[in-house]
């Protein structure tokens, strides 16, 4: 129970990186099974979709996650890559978004126009 409280407190801290936050959400909901996304949402006052999208970032290729970690790729832009199921293509598009300094809107358009878009 102490670990659960500490985890929730850490999640509420502003200083977590997006992927640290995602990992914390994953630990709480999936690994430890302490509650649902909805329950976590009410505890930390973030929307369920926010939590779901953050956890989904952990499924992106390591180079894309590294770009998120070093702040060259915004999490909101990286989320756009989730509709591409091919990890290699996610990496290619992620790299293009970073190199061209795309906004999230530009990233959304790029992904939507891609042949791998689902």
């Amino acid at each position: 129970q102490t670990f659960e409280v500490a985890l929730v407190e850490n999640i509420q801290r502003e200083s977590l990186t997006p992927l640290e936050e995602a990992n914390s959400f994953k630990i709480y909901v999936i690994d430890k099974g302490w509650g649902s996304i909805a329950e976590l949402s009410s505890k930390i006052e973030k929307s369920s979709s926010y939590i779901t999208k953050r956890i989904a970032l952990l499924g992106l290729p390591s180079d894309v996650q590294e770009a998120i970690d070093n702040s060259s790729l915004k999490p909101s832009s990286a989320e756009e890559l989730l509709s591409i199921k091919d990890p290699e293509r996610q990496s290619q598009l992620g790299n293009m978004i970073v190199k061209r300094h795309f906004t999230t809107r530009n990233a959304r358009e790029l992904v939507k126009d891609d042949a791998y878009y689902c």
Side-chain angles (χ1 to χ4, degrees):
Q1 191 175 26
T2 304
F3 183 71
E4 179 184 4
V5 171
L7 183 62
V8 170
E9 287 174 0
N10 284 338
I11 290 170
Q12 291 173 325
R13 280 187 310 146
E14 298 289 326
S15 60
L16 288 177
T17 69
L19 292 178
E20 288 172 337
E21 189 178 51
N23 254 329
S24 295
F25 295 162
K26 181 180 172 284
I27 289 168
Y28 186 92
V29 175
I30 298 167
D31 297 346
K32 299 293 182 184
W34 284 328
S36 67
I37 288 176
E39 290 168 340
L40 179 59
S41 171
S42 67
K43 285 185 179 186
I44 63 169
E45 299 177 355
K46 299 219 185 250
S47 72
S48 294
S49 71
Y50 177 88
I51 294 168
T52 302
K53 288 177 184 178
R54 279 293 199 254
I55 293 172
L57 293 177
L58 298 173
L60 290 170
S62 59
D63 62 321
V64 174
Q65 289 185 29
E66 191 175 309
I68 295 168
D69 264 344
N70 68 29
S71 300
S72 59
L73 181 63
K74 292 185 282 187
S76 56
S77 294
E79 288 168 7
E80 297 300 326
L81 298 171
L82 294 168
S83 59
I84 303 290
K85 299 305 174 205
D86 179 40
E88 188 174 319
R89 190 63 183 153
Q90 288 174 329
S91 292
Q92 292 168 350
L93 292 173
N95 188 38
M96 188 181 304
I97 292 166
V98 169
K99 283 185 177 178
R100 295 183 182 176
H101 305 286
F102 277 6
T103 64
T104 300
R105 182 179 181 164
N106 295 137
R108 184 176 307 120
E109 291 170 7
L110 174 72
V111 169
K112 201 172 179 182
D113 292 340
D114 193 78
Y116 288 87
Y117 179 74
C118 295

